[in-house]
Amino acid sequence: MTRAAHFALGFAVSAAYLPWLPQSSAELRWVLAALLLPLCLWRAPLRFNAMPHAALAALLLWALCTSLWSAAPFDAGWRALCLLTMALAYWLGSVTHHGRALYAGLCTGVAVSSLLVIPQLLGWSAIPQWAAPAGLFFNRNFLAELAVPLFLLALLRLWFWSALALLPSVALTQSRGALVALATGLVYCRFGPRWSAAVFVVGCVAVVATGAWHDGGGASLLHRINLWHDTLAAWSWLGHGLGSFPSLYPAFTQWDDTLALRSDHAHSDLFEALFETGVVGAGLFVAAACMLLPERDRTPEGAALVAAGVLALVAFPSYLPGTGILFAFLAGRVAGGSHPLGDGYDEWRAYLVLRQVYANHGGVGGPRIPGGGSEPAVVQAAALGRLCLLEPAAHAGAKPRGGVP
């Protein structure tokens, strides 16, 4: 039942669609997520054992407090509902043992859009879109921003069929920001945060360079720069209130022409958090992000979360149901399940960790498998993918976590 609910949640936030109201599909997916998450969390334990939990809880409480002085009460209430739904997804990620079911549901939903991307690229327009090809996501960037972290997970976990199903949504949507996020996540998992930061900077430079001649001489890039400038110029210590950006932003514009194109979002979760929740909220945002990405946690979930962080700098994934739920779930996995060994670490990761432990102890101790070389049996078992990792006794005694078959 729980696995089925996880799969249904992933599929709902990535494939639910209203043909007669395509722009309202995001609202439908948020509502379905709010209804399905309590089923996924049925009898789930409540754990508060990590510093990111405290930082994110403080950020959530502060964001809800800013709704008291928001100029748009209705928008503030809707945004508060979305944030609470993401908080449930974060809780689910921190305690669940069935992450694969949610990933499978998300991949299946995005695969439906992957099937639609190819005919849309060839001119088929039966489904209304703002920027084609977008599948069921109305905008191709929205599709790519969800497909890229899932594609990264599929690659690092060797889920080749899932990666193949997600490939059209990654490659054919031509989302430059999503491709930079993909490269940054891959480099992070292999080389760590320093090299990934360098790749991010190089990727941003490449985006600026291509934007100089793409899309009519960089009009889209220029609009984004003007938008960020005016958003940062409107900063305040306490913020203008949750959900106030669409209503108040035009009053602060200096460079951006809102008569030609009015933006409902700042195209940066960090900048929009600064506008709505002030320096206090943006500071909590940055603090939580730093706590969620320790250098030692270079797992598939950690790499996908790095890609999500890149997207949060140049887009607004937390305002979209698919990316919002996935990113909150990944954050919960990294924060709540960030033990050195546990659910979410593949066989090859356990093998590398145990090899390092073996090397640090000089290769001494532990039984050997006859004819299996000089390494202890536990290392050889990990290499063969037959290691059963146990959850810490304080949580589940000798009950297997199930992260490794």
Side-chain angles (χ1 to χ4, degrees):
M1 175 61 182
T2 304
R3 288 180 181 268
H6 288 200
F7 182 89
L9 172 64
F11 187 79
V13 299
S14 58
Y17 187 75
L18 293 174
W20 56 93
L21 288 174
Q23 297 185 60
S24 299
S25 296
E27 286 75 9
L28 172 64
R29 294 172 186 179
W30 276 120
V31 171
L32 291 175
L35 294 175
L36 288 171
L37 275 166
L39 295 178
C40 297
L41 287 166
W42 179 253
R43 301 179 65 182
L46 179 60
R47 297 176 185 169
F48 198 86
N49 57 357
M51 286 300 293
H53 291 18
L56 289 170
L59 175 59
L60 176 62
L61 291 176
W62 174 251
L64 295 178
C65 287
T66 63
S67 63
L68 298 176
W69 56 83
S70 174
F74 178 80
D75 291 338
W78 174 254
R79 182 57 180 161
L81 175 63
C82 295
L83 288 177
L84 291 172
T85 304
M86 290 177 62
L88 292 179
Y90 176 84
W91 177 15
L92 178 66
S94 67
V95 299
T96 186
H97 294 175
H98 308 300
R100 293 183 180 181
L102 178 65
Y103 300 148
L106 286 164
C107 290
T108 304
V110 176
V112 175
S113 291
S114 290
L115 293 176
L116 297 173
V117 160
I118 298 175
Q120 288 173 345
L121 194 64
L122 298 176
W124 182 64
S125 58
I127 298 177
Q129 300 171 86
W130 174 262
L136 298 176
F137 284 77
F138 193 67
N139 187 313
R140 65 186 183 185
N141 292 319
F142 301 165
L143 172 59
E145 288 162 11
L146 178 58
V148 159
L150 290 172
F151 183 73
L152 192 57
L153 277 171
L155 281 181
L156 297 177
R157 290 186 173 279
L158 306 181
W159 299 338
F160 295 118
W161 287 110
S162 296
L164 184 62
L166 296 169
L167 185 59
S169 295
V170 175
L172 300 181
T173 50
Q174 303 175 20
S175 175
R176 289 165 290 178
L179 293 177
V180 171
L182 175 62
T184 305
L186 285 172
V187 172
Y188 174 86
C189 189
R190 178 62 181 87
F191 299 104
R194 293 185 180 180
W195 279 101
S196 63
V199 169
F200 173 68
V201 172
V202 172
C204 290
V205 172
V207 168
V208 172
T210 56
W213 57 268
H214 188 66
D215 293 336
S220 175
L221 180 62
L222 181 61
H223 166 68
R224 193 74 59 89
I225 293 174
N226 293 339
L227 176 63
W228 289 340
H229 171 272
D230 291 343
T231 302
L232 291 175
W235 73 275
S236 62
W237 288 105
L238 301 182
H240 301 287
L242 192 65
S244 63
F245 184 88
S247 301
L248 292 184
Y249 169 71
F252 293 95
T253 54
Q254 301 175 14
W255 291 8
D256 192 17
D257 185 5
T258 56
L259 294 178
L261 179 61
R262 179 168 176 172
S263 300
D264 290 334
H265 299 285
H267 282 272
S268 171
D269 278 349
L270 177 59
F271 292 170
E272 194 156 348
L274 177 63
F275 184 96
E276 294 186 349
T277 62
V279 175
V280 176
L284 291 172
F285 186 100
V286 173
C290 293
M291 293 178 186
L292 283 170
L293 298 175
E295 185 174 357
R296 65 180 178 83
D297 197 19
R298 285 154 52 186
T299 62
E301 276 85 359
L305 192 60
V306 168
V310 171
L311 292 171
L313 293 176
V314 298
F316 46 96
S318 69
Y319 289 82
L320 303 173
T323 48
I325 296 301
L326 173 62
F327 294 175
F329 184 83
L330 289 172
R333 298 292 294 158
V334 172
S338 57
H339 342 98
L341 292 175
D343 187 24
Y345 284 75
D346 292 324
E347 292 87 345
W348 61 271
R349 178 62 64 183
Y351 173 62
L352 293 178
V353 171
L354 290 174
R355 276 186 64 92
Q356 187 62 44
V357 172
Y358 173 65
N360 291 342
H361 287 80
V364 179
R368 269 69 175 175
I369 295 177
S374 60
E375 294 178 333
V378 65
V379 178
Q380 297 176 38
L384 296 174
R386 293 198 294 263
L387 179 66
C388 183
L389 302 178
L390 301 180
E391 193 174 32
H395 295 303
K399 186 177 180 180
R401 287 186 62 90
V404 177

